[in-house]
Amino acid sequence: MLNIKNLHVAVGGEEIIKGLDLEVGPGELHAIMGPNGSGKSTLGYALAGRDGYEVTDGSVEFDGRDLLELEVEQRAAAGLFLALQYPVEIPGVNNAYFLRAALNAQRKARGEEEVDSMAFLKTVREQLKALKMDEALLKRAVNEGFSGGEKKRNEIVQLAVLQPKLAILDETDSGLDIDALKLVAEGVNRLRDENRSFIVITHYQRLLEYLVPDRVHVLSDGRIAESGDRSLAQRLEREGYAFLDTAEA
Amino acid sequence: MSETQQQVEELIQSRYKAGFYTDIESESVGAGLNEEIIAMISAKKDEPEWMLEWRLKAFHHWQTMTGPNWAKLNLPGIDFQKIHYYSAPKQKDRPKSLDDVDPKLLETFDKLGVPLHERARLAGVAVDAVFDSVSVGTTFQKELKEAGVIFCSFSEAVQEHPELVREYLGSVVPYRDNYFACLNSAVFSDGSFVYIPEGTKCPMELSTYFRINARDTGQFERTLIIAEPGAEVSYLEGCTAPMRDENQLHAAVVELVARKKAKIKYSTVQNWYPGDENGKGGIYNFVTKRGDCREDDSRISWTQVETGSAITWKYPSCILRGDRSAGEFYSVALTHNHQQADTGTKMIHLGKNTSSKIISKGISAGKSSNSYRGLVRVARKADGARNYTQCDSLLIGKTCGAHTFPYIESANPTAKIEHEATTSRIGEDQLFYCQSRGLDEEEAVALIVDGFCKEVFKELPMEFAVEAKALLEISLEGAVG
């Protein structure tokens, strides 16, 4: 699904990712943990193609294509989704309208037929219900006046409607209370299948109790310093990231 | 034409879809401005003597005036002697019905999306189509007449309803009012006239479509809308012109009179040719629009979407004379390339417990300059006046400018005046967010701008809202990146 080789990413001339290798197979869920400033969010933005995140070396193959060749919206249409740590507000733009415009833009780019508003509303309502979100949110402007938790759940609604091949969740758990966290995890678990992959960026082991990862990676200073199964996450929770220094020394 | 050149032409055409020229024989009075020309215009329209006298009074006054220089506009000198003040498509007799109108004219309006002939007329909207200096026809006149509504060209009104014209003409915008209104009063050629009798709700939307076609010609139209006690009307106005390298002048006057409990809603989608990307050509749009809430409990609402013109100078205003009368102004002004806009409103509170609301959205892109200028004045006796003003500017790119000039003058301590203003840039984070969900950059900008204008668009009649949205998208093409 995703094959990253020797990836280097610079932001404002400063190298943040310094030779990262990562392979995520179809249906796998990988967790990426690591201390602040280790480059976790940068990785997410670089994969999504955000301006200012300059790939200086390496390659990324996504679903058989060279991901780095594609524009941001082409990556989305190809099946890449990034749930933002801080979802953006778009005043005056109705949430339902936004989501449908996005879905149809992607479908159009893939040569698929556009979804009519009835079919669309039905899907969205189901997703909202599953995430215990009020339908009134559809009529509100995108993320405007949403609480932190609502914004994060709204990202999962988008994820569920857009049905990507690979979803990167950037600290989707931060700022969520335990009930909201469970809802988000359930939402993600419902979407897991043998073809859809996930990269879950998180600070805390907590989320991984609900989203069982196939692999856990520790990012440190722009590289993957350690990989393992879910027990690695538990160890980090107990011992913190201090072992990284000793491992490197 | 070489292939690339043709592609460029096509691209420009696609941006300004109304930029074509209709090749039609026209008669015009010679260039220049003097008493003789004015008399000629008046004679062509077979006007009564009082009308000509009024024009000449205006002309003599205009000669003593100088143009306004207070706006934040880089105003070019206009040589008024080089302009043709009258141009009309040649026709043997004035067509008695729309069936007699020159097919070329009908085709022009068809192409502009305003079909006039019976089969294809817009449902529920009566249209008066003005081509250069004359009205070529008005639809649904019979149906409106049955409701007692008069909707016709201004020239026709002078002939058929002289008493009404004489009573109300210049009663809201006196010919002395300002330089361009005064010029218009001297040379105005046509426009629309609306009269809604007492207690009547106009059964359909009324609209006028203004089209400038001839070269070196100015368009000087006048619109007069009178709503008798308890009457209601919604009126729409649209405008386009061919693309030319020379600038053309458009100086219109609109007067609205709302009597007791009457309601007038006036919407404009202004899409005059804005000039090319280097600032060459385009319409100079100097317009005076004013509504008089003459009696108690009347209401006048202006909604404008301004995307065209090289220069826009326009302040649709309300005089809140009647007690509890209300004025509203909703505006979206978009400037791109080298366009300049200085636009806003005046709310003059004279009656007691009057209220006004101003929602202004300015969008600047390219090297354009976009200013909001608004006056809220509360007279000494206007107890309990209220105003709410919200003024937002959105910048696209780094070479444009947005300015806000609010003037607040209150002579009454009971007045409540609120003013809010924001300036923002389309955020890189917003663009990225939209694109990461699959929208391309232009779709993303259109979506964000549409959201920004929401409060104004929802005031427009449905079909106009759709057109306005599409127009913004076209006008913003190439604004980013």
Side-chain angles (χ1 to χ4, degrees), chain B residues 428-457:
Chain B
E428 186 273 329
D429 56 341
Q430 287 177 324
L431 282 176
F432 170 70
Y433 191 58
C434 294
Q435 287 178 273
S436 76
R437 297 301 179 253
L439 301 168
D440 69 30
E441 199 171 27
E442 281 187 358
E443 289 168 332
V445 170
L447 185 92
I448 294 164
V449 168
D450 183 43
F452 177 74
C453 301
K454 200 63 153 213
E455 283 167 278
V456 174
F457 284 174

Side-chain angles (χ1 to χ4, degrees), chain B residues 87-385:
Chain B
S87 169
K90 224 172 203 168
Q91 47 200 11
K92 283 188 202 88
D93 304 299
R94 194 184 145 70
K96 288 190 183 58
S97 81
L98 280 164
D99 301 333
D100 305 332
V101 173
D102 186 331
K104 265 192 190 164
L105 289 173
L106 294 179
E107 198 186 305
T108 301
F109 284 99
D110 255 2
K111 233 165 138 178
L112 295 168
V114 196
L116 300 174
H117 43 82
E118 204 86 37
R119 290 169 280 122
R121 281 177 191 170
L122 303 170
V125 184
V127 180
D128 182 26
V130 177
F131 190 89
D132 289 330
S133 306
V134 291
S135 163
V136 299
T138 309
T139 63
F140 292 109
Q141 270 187 318
K142 196 172 131 260
E143 290 83 346
L144 289 167
K145 210 171 170 187
E146 278 163 19
V149 172
I150 302 170
F151 179 43
C152 62
S153 70
F154 205 94
S155 312
E156 206 175 321
V158 171
Q159 301 299 331
E160 308 288 330
H161 311 282
E163 69 299 339
L164 286 172
V165 174
R166 219 172 162 175
E167 181 179 352
Y168 288 101
L169 178 71
S171 74
V172 186
V173 181
Y175 67 79
R176 290 190 160 78
D177 193 83
N178 69 69
Y179 191 70
F180 292 101
C182 191
L183 174 66
N184 173 290
S185 302
V187 301
F188 76 89
S189 41
D190 217 335
S192 299
F193 176 83
V194 176
Y195 175 83
I196 316 287
E198 184 163 353
T200 302
K201 190 173 175 214
C202 187
M204 59 180 85
E205 303 265 357
L206 305 183
S207 82
T208 302
Y209 198 97
F210 293 102
R211 174 70 175 173
I212 296 179
N213 190 61
R215 188 178 289 273
D216 302 324
T217 299
Q219 193 175 50
F220 305 90
E221 85 275 2
R222 262 194 112 90
T223 299
L224 175 56
I225 299 178
I226 303 153
E228 293 282 17
E232 284 180 35
V233 61
S234 169
Y235 177 90
L236 325 167
E237 174 200 88
C239 6
T240 57
M243 302 192 294
R244 291 223 172 81
D245 286 347
E246 305 83 33
N247 299 101
Q248 279 179 286
L249 179 63
H250 172 254
V253 173
V254 175
E255 296 179 278
L256 313 182
V257 178
R259 298 192 55 200
K260 196 175 164 78
K261 288 190 180 164
K263 287 185 188 149
I264 301 176
K265 186 175 168 63
Y266 193 107
S267 313
T268 306
V269 174
Q270 187 262 106
N271 185 26
W272 293 119
Y273 177 52
D276 69 8
E277 64 275 19
N278 300 313
K280 194 160 193 208
I283 301 290
Y284 295 156
N285 191 33
F286 296 91
V287 172
T288 305
K289 289 183 166 172
R290 195 172 303 153
D292 188 359
C293 286
R294 203 162 278 185
E295 296 174 23
D296 295 350
D297 302 294
S298 55
R299 173 183 283 266
I300 287 177
S301 176
W302 297 101
T303 304
Q304 61 170 19
V305 176
E306 304 280 318
T307 60
S309 299
I311 295 176
T312 296
W313 178 96
K314 183 179 166 189
Y315 316 89
S317 306
C318 296
I319 299 168
L320 305 169
R321 206 182 298 276
D323 290 347
R324 297 172 303 280
S325 61
E328 294 174 324
F329 174 74
Y330 298 94
S331 169
V332 167
L334 179 146
T335 53
H336 189 192
N337 296 323
H338 291 263
Q339 279 177 277
Q340 308 178 64
D342 192 301
T343 183
T345 185
K346 288 188 272 185
M347 293 292 175
I348 312 292
H349 293 256
L350 301 176
K352 292 189 188 3
N353 299 310
T354 48
S355 63
S356 62
K357 183 175 173 186
I358 299 170
I359 307 284
S360 163
K361 305 276 180 177
I363 303 150
S364 335
K367 296 193 166 102
S368 68
S369 161
N370 198 327
S371 304
Y372 165 81
R373 188 180 304 276
L375 167 69
V376 177
R377 178 183 292 153
V378 179
R380 198 169 48 82
K381 289 182 179 164
D383 293 337

Side-chain angles (χ1 to χ4, degrees), chain A residues 50 82 97 106 155 158, chain B residues 428 430 433 435 437 469:
Chain A
R50 186 167 190 164
L82 172 66
Y97 180 83
Q106 289 196 16
E155 294 288 280
Q158 294 183 5
Chain B
E428 186 273 329
Q430 287 177 324
Y433 191 58
Q435 287 178 273
R437 297 301 179 253
K469 200 179 145 192

